[in-house]
Amino acid sequence: MAVVLTASACDASGSTHAGTTAAATRTAHPMPASRPALTKQEALTQIARYSEINNEANATRDRALLSTIEDGALYAMSVSEYKETEGLPASERTPYKPWAYDTTSAKLYIPRFTAGQQHWFAAALSSQKSKAPSRIAVFAEHPKDKRWEMESVVDLDSTTLPNVALDQDGYATAVAANGTNQLAAGADVLRAAVIDNFATAGTTTGTKVFAPTTASKRQIQVHDQTVRQYGDKGTSVFAGTANHYPDAYALKTADGGALILFAHMHTQTDAVANPGLQINPGKDDRAWLHDIPRSSIRYTFVCTDAATVPVKAAPARLLGYTCARTDASGPPAASGPATRA
């Protein structure tokens, strides 16, 4: 059976410039006023709305309805779950159980923005009443559609949340996720390091960018176990691929660093070592591979990630990641007797 990597199975800014004092006759321009993206109650309302519509969409795998509350990497991951379910016979599908995020325990991280800036907020959430939040979600406003949509959600390995800096009114500060010299690493560096954890067990950049955490160790373990799964009968290789979800979101932390939420994509290519061998797809691959034995299979994964980054040159900490297989393809194995790889 081919090994697949899923969340359950495997699994700023701007600089300041010193200058001379302006002439006395020159009028200083006031800084643009910033306002919270939305109020705390409005944020809780959006979280509750998400839960309600998500249940309705999931019950019938309604992609159009789901698209009214999800976008980006999260929507791609959710649709892949729909497709995986549809590849199973009805008797093997797990009955859907409604759920909801607990708004009473939610921790809100709402930044202030000036006119013209994209509005978004993050929230630490729990899907169980009276349980500490263990995932972080990002909601972004889509003014054209006049609605808020969840862009990503990351399962954390701990209920100890990152120490996001809040002002005296309880609002957060958004910082640049890339292109700043005020952080030890930006989202693009983190993304490349995560892919390296899968591709090389972190030997190129992963273990240099990230301090050892449960999440980073798990990615390296996925690499180590997967590349050995077929022994001498086949190979498994991880690699990066074109990322369709480059948006990243960053919040200032109390130590001056940042919590960065981003997405990445990677592939896993399994291949037989010799003619006459074949890879038999598992039932979770049925929607893509239709139970047809293959000589090689290329899986594509979309993942969301969360990491904290310090101000000075020091390792970042990967707090968690969530992955979903979004595609699988490969040439059928040659006809005739074959041995499973």
Side-chain angles (χ1 to χ4, degrees):
M1 179 180 292
V3 173
V4 296
L5 172 64
T6 64
S8 59
C10 56
D11 137 82
S13 168
S15 55
T16 56
H17 300 277
T20 56
T21 304
T25 56
R26 194 170 182 173
T27 302
H29 295 285
M31 292 293 290
S34 61
R35 299 171 60 87
L38 70 182
T39 68
K40 297 172 186 178
Q41 186 54 54
E42 288 170 339
L44 293 175
T45 298
Q46 292 302 326
I47 294 169
R49 170 182 174 270
Y50 173 84
S51 298
E52 179 182 357
I53 297 179
N54 184 257
N55 279 316
E56 185 178 348
N58 290 348
T60 58
R61 295 181 296 281
D62 188 332
R63 292 159 172 78
L65 181 59
L66 185 70
S67 71
T68 66
I69 56 164
E70 288 187 2
D71 196 17
L74 180 61
Y75 179 73
M77 295 166 74
S78 296
V79 168
S80 75
E81 292 180 9
Y82 287 1
K83 183 166 184 174
E84 181 179 312
T85 298
E86 290 165 351
L88 300 173
S91 61
E92 295 183 22
R93 298 177 186 177
T94 302
Y96 182 71
K97 295 182 179 179
W99 66 282
Y101 281 126
D102 180 17
T103 55
T104 62
S105 65
K107 305 296 183 184
L108 301 176
Y109 309 121
I110 304 172
R112 297 175 184 270
F113 296 103
T114 57
Q117 290 184 306
Q118 181 192 18
H119 287 193
W120 61 271
F121 74 94
L125 301 168
S126 171
S127 58
Q128 296 181 330
K129 288 282 188 181
S130 304
K131 295 288 186 180
S134 59
R135 57 179 50 175
I136 294 182
V138 173
F139 290 80
E141 185 181 29
H142 294 252
K144 181 179 178 181
D145 301 315
K146 297 182 179 180
R147 65 191 182 212
W148 287 82
E149 297 178 5
M150 190 186 287
E151 299 277 333
S152 71
V153 63
V154 181
D155 291 316
L156 305 179
D157 288 311
S158 171
T159 55
T160 302
L161 300 175
N163 192 9
V164 174
L166 301 176
D167 63 20
Q168 61 183 4
D169 297 316
Y171 290 105
T173 299
V175 295
N178 273 308
T180 174
N181 58 9
Q182 297 182 16
L183 295 173
D188 290 343
V189 172
L190 300 176
R191 185 179 290 114
V194 163
I195 293 172
D196 187 62
N197 281 345
F198 287 110
T200 75
T203 58
T204 304
T205 61
T207 55
K208 298 178 178 64
V209 171
F210 292 116
T213 63
T214 300
S216 61
K217 290 178 182 178
R218 187 166 63 254
Q219 291 176 343
I220 291 170
Q221 184 180 40
V222 168
H223 167 274
D224 292 344
Q225 292 178 346
T226 304
V227 298
R228 295 194 298 263
Q229 67 176 324
Y230 298 126
D232 61 359
K233 292 183 173 64
T235 58
S236 294
V237 177
F238 290 101
T241 189
N243 181 34
H244 302 322
Y245 312 103
D247 289 347
Y249 303 87
L251 294 166
K252 183 178 180 180
T253 51
D255 60 4
L259 165 65
I260 301 183
L261 304 158
F262 59 100
H264 84 270
M265 293 179 63
H266 69 262
T267 61
Q268 174 190 326
T269 303
D270 295 355
V272 298
N274 300 296
L277 297 176
Q278 68 186 37
I279 301 174
N280 294 332
K283 70 174 186 178
D284 291 339
D285 303 325
R286 189 172 294 154
W288 293 274
L289 302 175
H290 313 293
D291 292 329
I292 299 173
R294 310 281 170 158
S295 58
S296 68
I297 300 173
R298 184 180 188 265
Y299 299 98
T300 300
F301 298 93
V302 174
C303 309
T304 50
D305 311 81
T308 52
V309 179
V311 179
K312 299 180 180 179
R317 295 181 60 82
L318 187 65
L319 305 181
Y321 68 97
T322 303
C323 290
R325 176 184 56 258
T326 57
D327 190 34
S329 62
S335 59
T339 302
R340 190 170 93 178

